Amino acid sequence: MPRPGKNSYSDQKPPYSYISLTAMAIQNSSEKMLPLSDIYKFIMDRFPYYRENTQRWQNSLRHNLSFNDCFIKIPRRPDQPGKGSFWALHPDCGDMFENGSFLRRRKRFKVLRAEHMSCKSSPMMHYFHHHHHHPGSKLTTASAHHEHPAGPAGVGRLPPFQGYGGISCAQPGGFKHPFAIENIIGRDYKGVVAGGLPLSSVMHHLGYPVPPQLSSVVNSMWPHVGMLSESMSGVPVSAAASEYAPFGVSAKGLYHNASGQTLPAVPVPIKPTPSLGPVPGLSGPAHLCTPASAMEKSDLLEGKANPLHPALLLS
DNA sequence: AGATGTTTATTTACAT
DNA sequence: ATGTAAATAAACATCT
């Protein structure tokens, strides 16, 4: 362990899995989707550690994109030049890091084989179209309508997406919130709380589109989101890097200080969700309290699917 | 040829 | 100690 001589953390391996790094990058983008090269760029910009061994970690990252159902591929429209597809987060992947650890999720997010059949599984599935080409491929190729009423200024603004081939089950004005990380940190987001739950996740589950402003909380979610490298931001990397210095802090201490205020999401070692005890009004078989993200394909196929979302159960 | 994706296999590390 | 998520390696396919 390097005795912190100022910069010693800067090139340390960040306490994020590839999945969380990628989710971070995607969430940080205005369109909530990025081409591979931009994911690379995001990571390299903020984490000096990843400016080396690029062959190795980028291969791993690509593996993760393909392998994990929480990432979906969105084809480019003809008017969006560039290489490769866009990558986004599966709308139903929920809080993948609800346990407070960005290193290891409680359970892998897996998509049901027959998900395309019932849109009732999630209103969000309206954004996806049954294009089951290759059997066994994860989600269907998405024909998501990533049209933002007005793309937030900045990153390569895309023309409003009209949908593919005229097929459209557009959710008027809606952005599909991918990743309800608000639950991790955002409990104090202004005006957010409804019955103790972040508004956006409630909305999500009621089938309402979550407005972009709400997903902007992301910027407070990930310690490094919004932070650029020293060269770009003028902020010394070492200073910013110290943000994830306290690896060992308890999750409890991270989320709320004494006054109940929310603190930045510093990744912590996975720990038993302290408040995960019996949820009032939600007693019953354990598997019924299992987060959707914890469901295995087999469970879902056997009809054990949990209609309730983690965000509504735990938080 | 190189970037992008997909897939299988093996190893490592963490949680329970 | 066992189960599993994540990391790593590598073969291979596709597309530009």
Side-chain angles (χ1 to χ4, degrees):
Chain A
M1 274 295 87
R3 241 303 259 352
K6 279 213 152 184
N7 299 7
S8 39
Y9 286 113
S10 59
D11 47 356
Q12 205 84 354
K13 178 165 181 161
Y16 300 103
S17 63
Y18 291 120
I19 293 182
S20 56
L21 285 169
T22 304
M24 198 187 301
I26 292 172
Q27 279 286 256
N28 183 237
S29 69
S30 57
E31 304 289 333
K32 308 305 170 200
M33 56 177 184
L34 286 177
L36 182 65
S37 58
D38 286 356
I39 298 175
Y40 292 160
K41 190 142 56 64
F42 175 95
I43 293 172
M44 292 175 81
D45 276 351
R46 298 151 222 244
F47 304 102
Y49 176 87
Y50 289 110
R51 307 215 252 251
E52 287 169 358
N53 303 311
T54 54
Q55 279 315 126
R56 191 167 42 155
W57 70 262
Q58 291 182 351
N59 181 23
S60 295
L61 191 135
R62 288 195 306 275
H63 162 78
N64 271 277
L65 284 172
S66 287
F67 179 75
N68 291 103
D69 284 354
C70 57
F71 299 116
I72 57 177
K73 217 173 45 169
I74 297 173
R76 282 177 193 269
R77 281 174 292 142
D79 56 303
Q80 298 170 331
K83 281 193 229 173
S85 307
F86 292 105
W87 290 95
L89 289 158
H90 192 291
D92 284 345
C93 67
D95 302 352
M96 294 192 293
F97 308 101
E98 65 191 348
N99 53 39
S101 171
F102 294 100
L103 285 168
R104 193 179 159 111
R105 295 168 298 172
R106 185 175 290 293
K107 197 74 178 176
R108 241 172 215 145
F109 171 76
K110 278 291 165 196
V111 137
L112 327 59
R113 226 202 322 104
E115 181 152 352
H116 63 277
M117 293 186 343
S118 69
C119 283
K120 72 174 202 287
S121 81
S122 159
M124 291 311 177
M125 287 321 289
H126 286 294
Y127 293 108
F128 298 89
H129 267 275
H130 5 292
H131 266 212
H132 31 92
H133 327 295
H134 328 299
S137 90
K138 70 174 161 193
L139 223 218
T140 69
T141 301
S143 69
H145 318 291
H146 278 261
E147 88 279 43
H148 282 233
V155 197
R157 71 240 156 48
L158 303 159
F161 186 23
Q162 309 296 10
Y164 286 103
I167 331 149
S168 139
C169 44
Q171 214 86 23
F175 168 61
K176 26 276 120 192
H177 130 256
F179 195 23
I181 326 186
E182 296 92 309
N183 291 334
I184 296 183
I185 307 164
R187 303 169 85 102
D188 67 338
Y189 183 70
K190 38 181 176 235
V192 160
V193 180
L197 293 171
L199 179 56
S200 60
S201 68
V202 172
M203 288 175 70
H204 177 211
H205 271 274
L206 293 180
Y208 295 106
V210 178
Q213 309 93 280
L214 231 51
S215 12
S216 71
V217 243
V218 206
N219 291 325
S220 65
M221 241 155 232
W222 309 93
H224 295 80
V225 166
M227 168 197 122
L228 293 171
S229 68
E230 183 168 356
S231 57
M232 301 190 58
S233 65
V235 176
V237 169
S238 55
S242 68
E243 301 249 76
Y244 58 73
F247 291 176
V249 218
S250 83
K252 190 185 303 181
L254 282 170
Y255 296 164
H256 304 73
N257 62 18
S259 54
Q261 289 280 77
T262 296
L263 295 176
V266 178
V268 295
I270 211 167
K271 258 302 147 199
T273 0
S275 59
L276 192 53
V279 180
L282 282 173
S283 51
H287 75 272
L288 287 180
C289 291
T290 305
S293 59
M295 278 186 272
E296 290 301 346
K297 193 174 298 180
S298 54
D299 293 335
L300 296 163
L301 291 174
E302 291 168 27
K304 295 193 232 165
N306 181 1
L308 302 171
H309 184 91
L312 297 177
L313 292 171
L314 327 161
S315 59

